[in-house]
Amino acid sequence: MSEPRPDLPNIDAALFRQPDHGRLLAAERAPHAPRILLLYGSLRERSYSRLLAEEAARLLRALGAETRLFNPSGLPLVDDATDDHPKVKELRELVQWAEGMVWSSPERHGAMSGLMKMQIDWIPLSVGAVRPTQGKTLALMQVSGGSQSFNALNQMRVLGRWMRMLTIPNQSSVAKAWQEFDEAGRMKPSACYDRVVDVMEELMKFTLLTRDVAPYLGDRYSERKESAEALSRRVNQTTI
C-alpha cells in the first residue's frame, strides 16, 4: 500500500479508481432481448400474485423482453434438501439466465408470503466467484385482499438490496386484487393496471441501461482490496 498523503484519502491508490464515463459509453450492447425472470408467491389455484406476474410477463414481451416464470410448486423448504434438488437447480439456472427479475407476492399477516421468501432464500449470494443476482434489475409487486398496503413491497425491497440487485424506484401494490382480475384471469383496465404498465416500462429501461455494464457497476474498491490481500497472502505462503 502506498504511503498516505495529507491531501488525499487514506486508501490504497493502486486499487482506487475514478468512475470511467467513457467505459460506460463504449460498452458493447447485447443484441438479444432482455431476459426477465418472474417469481410469484402463492400456489392457490387462483393465485393473484401469479396472475399479476403473468400480466407483467405479457407486458414485458410486448416491450421486447424474453420472459420465464418459475413455478415454485415442489420447491423444498430451505435446508430440507440439497442444492442438486431438481426444483432448486431449475430456480438457480433461471436466476443465472436472467438479466432482470420481477417479484410478485401476496401480503399475508402483514408480510410477504413464506413461499416468496423461500424462493429468494434458495438463491445464493455467490457461487464461487459468480454473484448470481449482483447488478441485475428488479421490479416489485404485491397483491392484497384488502386495502392498500406496502408491507410486502418494503420487505422485498430490503431483500433486493441484500441480494445486490438494482431495485427500480417504481413499484405496484394491487389492493382488493379479487376486484382487479376478470374470470379469465386477465387484469382489468384501470389506474392500477396502468401503474403495472409503468413499472414494467421502468424495469425494461433500467435493464437496457445497465445490463451491459453490470460487472463494472458491481466492481468495488473493498473487494479489489480484499482480493489483492488474499493474493499477497498466497504468494507469501508459496515463497516461505
Side-chain angles (χ1 to χ4, degrees), residues 20-235:
D20 188 347
H21 183 61
R23 182 176 176 182
L24 288 170
L25 292 176
E28 185 177 348
R29 302 300 174 187
H32 62 269
R35 300 191 292 254
I36 308 296
L37 170 64
L38 299 98
L39 306 181
Y40 55 90
S42 169
L43 294 176
R44 290 180 178 176
E45 183 176 353
R46 187 170 171 83
S47 162
Y48 291 110
S49 64
R50 174 177 55 80
L51 295 179
L52 183 59
E54 290 174 348
E55 201 66 46
R58 294 185 187 97
L59 289 166
L60 288 166
R61 290 193 294 271
L63 290 165
E66 181 182 357
T67 65
R68 306 272 179 88
L69 272 81
F70 174 70
N71 180 354
S73 179
L75 185 68
L77 293 172
V78 175
D79 298 330
D80 198 34
T82 59
D83 293 351
D84 60 357
H85 186 282
K87 292 300 292 190
V88 175
K89 289 176 64 178
E90 179 189 355
L91 173 60
R92 292 184 174 186
E93 287 170 3
L94 286 172
V95 170
Q96 293 274 20
W97 166 86
E99 296 165 330
M101 297 175 67
V102 177
W103 295 350
S104 174
S105 177
E107 180 173 312
R108 288 189 177 164
H109 301 306
M112 78 178 80
S113 70
L115 180 63
M116 190 77 239
K117 181 64 162 58
M118 188 171 72
Q119 292 175 81
I120 299 167
D121 284 346
W122 269 119
I123 302 170
L125 280 174
S126 62
V127 181
V130 177
R131 296 189 184 275
T133 55
Q134 178 170 290
K136 296 181 179 181
T137 52
L138 173 64
L140 304 174
M141 304 189 297
Q142 80 162 68
V143 296
S144 55
S147 59
Q148 190 79 41
S149 173
F150 303 93
N151 292 325
L153 289 171
N154 292 337
Q155 287 188 320
M156 291 190 291
R157 191 166 291 276
V158 170
L159 285 172
R161 182 182 64 201
W162 187 261
M163 303 299 284
R164 299 187 175 186
M165 302 186 76
L166 301 174
T167 309
I168 67 171
N170 211 346
Q171 58 188 19
S172 174
S173 174
V174 180
K176 297 182 180 179
W178 49 276
Q179 292 183 343
E180 299 295 333
F181 292 85
D182 62 24
E183 291 185 1
R186 298 298 305 271
M187 197 169 185
K188 301 173 185 177
S190 66
C192 185
Y193 180 75
D194 291 346
R195 181 62 173 264
V196 176
V197 178
D198 288 346
V199 173
M200 293 306 109
E201 278 190 343
E202 187 170 292
L203 176 64
M204 280 290 290
K205 291 173 183 177
F206 272 74
T207 305
L208 289 168
L209 285 170
T210 61
R211 66 172 177 168
D212 300 306
V213 291
Y216 172 67
L217 294 175
D219 185 30
R220 290 177 171 83
Y221 167 79
S222 59
E223 293 183 349
R224 293 193 298 272
K225 181 181 176 184
E226 183 179 343
S227 297
E229 290 172 349
L231 177 61
S232 178
R233 286 193 298 269
R234 287 196 299 270
V235 170

